[in-house]
Amino acid sequence: PATEEAIRQRSRLVSKVSAERIRDELTLMLTGPRSALAVQRLEALGLMAHVLPEVHRLAQITDSPANEPKGGSVFQHTVRVLERLDRHGPGRSVELGWAALLHGVGKAVAHDRSSGKNFNGHETWGAQLAHRIGERLRLSRSELEQVSWMVGEHLKFREVFEMREATLQRFIRQPGFADLLELHRADALASDGNLAFHEFCSSKLKEVEASKASGAGTKLLKGEDLVQLGLLPGPRFAQILREVEDLALERKLLTKEEALEYVLKHFVR
């Protein structure tokens, strides 16, 4: 208790610690076995306000009933997401740990801009804030890019049932998608418990992995293939290659020969 009280009274002194040291300690917490407890203690001891004021601010914002059936603050929701990750054990990636902590930071901006009416667009604000936080704490370039991408994309799962197959395939084939899917699972379990989007995308991801393992490709043609068909290089090349790749992603074109035939039929006069 004496140590605890001393930390509270002197919590502001943590700001004298280097950004790199703070980053390393936070990363150990976020990838360890009890990340939720660590984050709760940082807030309770007054340290969060100094090391991550953006996360501290979430403790002052009540989540709307529509977005958070279990109620409480945005900070409490963040803790529940980390608890769900903790149940899967330690060993998660640095990017997933940080994205789980920061996925809701944009709600403070959205809350203020809408006078507390809703959190619309919070993922966009959150991605920008996550990038800024990553730069401040000296995350590596690849880490901060991946974390901000995950924060910005974590609500996109709501759209997967309406996506064109090619769009869905591109979404699932992005680097780091498995971590994004795990963040979505934890987020869903910490709110309404709806895992329909997770199960759908998890099934699709297994199909993609099986397709890659079999050597099936989606880039059937290159620019030089179009030149050999008599087409002139230019902006139209990107459109043609994109259309061919869309059809390959949707399994409507399976071989290079089929792709060449399609281009001849639709683009060569």
Side-chain angles (χ1 to χ4, degrees), residues 62-72 107 116-119 191-192:
T62 301
D63 229 333
S64 65
N67 291 313
E68 191 51 73
K70 296 184 179 182
K107 286 185 176 180
K117 294 178 182 177
N118 59 62
F119 296 129
S191 50
D192 61 8

Side-chain angles (χ1 to χ4, degrees), residues 2-264:
T3 303
E4 191 172 310
E5 184 56 30
I7 293 173
R8 285 198 180 95
Q9 290 183 8
R10 295 166 178 80
S11 60
R12 69 186 183 282
L13 297 179
V14 75
S15 59
K16 295 182 180 293
V17 178
S18 72
E20 291 84 357
R21 179 62 187 275
I22 290 173
R23 172 203 65 205
D24 290 347
E25 296 293 342
L26 289 171
T27 295
L28 286 171
M29 295 177 197
L30 294 170
T31 57
R34 305 189 75 183
S35 64
L37 178 61
V39 167
Q40 285 178 304
R41 298 301 288 159
L42 285 171
E43 177 64 26
L45 294 171
L47 293 166
M48 188 70 83
H50 299 288
V51 296
L52 284 172
E54 299 89 347
V55 176
H56 168 67
R57 172 87 166 87
L58 301 182
Q60 303 156 24
I61 299 175
T62 301
D63 229 333
S64 65
N67 291 313
E68 191 51 73
K70 296 184 179 182
S73 69
V74 179
F75 177 78
Q76 289 171 321
H77 168 76
T78 299
V79 169
R80 287 200 293 272
V81 170
L82 290 168
E83 285 173 344
R84 290 293 178 172
L85 293 179
D86 288 342
R87 292 181 190 182
H88 271 210
R92 71 189 68 102
S93 71
V94 170
E95 293 84 357
L96 177 55
W98 275 99
L101 178 66
L102 301 179
H103 79 281
V105 291
K107 286 185 176 180
V109 180
H111 176 274
D112 293 343
R113 286 177 174 266
S114 68
S115 301
K117 294 178 182 177
N118 59 62
F119 296 129
N120 291 343
H122 82 265
E123 68 278 14
T124 302
W125 298 113
Q128 296 173 10
L129 275 174
H131 200 279
R132 227 173 291 159
I133 292 166
E135 288 184 322
R136 186 176 77 225
L137 293 180
R138 310 284 199 273
L139 288 178
S140 72
R141 179 61 52 182
S142 63
E143 287 169 348
L144 72 87
E145 292 292 346
Q146 192 72 6
V147 170
S148 59
W149 170 74
M150 290 172 69
V151 172
E153 294 281 283
H154 78 279
L155 293 184
K156 201 167 185 177
F157 289 89
R158 299 175 181 176
E159 306 168 17
V160 294
F161 290 151
E162 284 75 45
M163 284 181 182
R164 177 183 171 180
E165 182 64 24
T167 304
L168 176 63
Q169 287 289 327
R170 282 197 170 87
F171 179 49
I172 291 172
R173 290 168 183 264
Q174 293 177 99
F177 180 79
D179 272 350
L180 182 64
L181 184 61
E182 179 61 12
L183 173 61
H184 166 68
R185 184 195 67 83
D187 191 24
L189 289 172
S191 50
D192 61 8
N194 180 6
L195 290 179
F197 303 125
H198 174 270
E199 291 170 0
F200 176 72
C201 288
S202 181
S203 175
K204 286 288 185 179
L205 180 59
K206 289 176 183 175
E207 292 177 8
V208 167
E209 290 171 343
S211 175
K212 288 181 178 178
S214 69
T218 60
K219 294 188 182 297
L220 301 178
L221 298 182
K222 298 179 181 178
E224 53 259 37
D225 296 313
L226 302 186
V227 172
Q228 290 176 9
L229 291 177
L231 293 167
L232 295 175
R236 197 174 178 218
F237 267 36
Q239 174 200 340
I240 296 172
L241 293 173
R242 173 85 177 196
E243 187 169 327
V244 168
E245 187 178 10
D246 281 349
L247 294 170
L249 287 168
E250 294 172 353
R251 310 297 292 160
K252 294 176 181 175
L253 294 175
L254 302 177
T255 66
K256 183 174 182 177
E257 290 68 29
E258 290 179 356
L260 290 170
E261 184 178 342
Y262 179 84
V263 173
L264 281 169

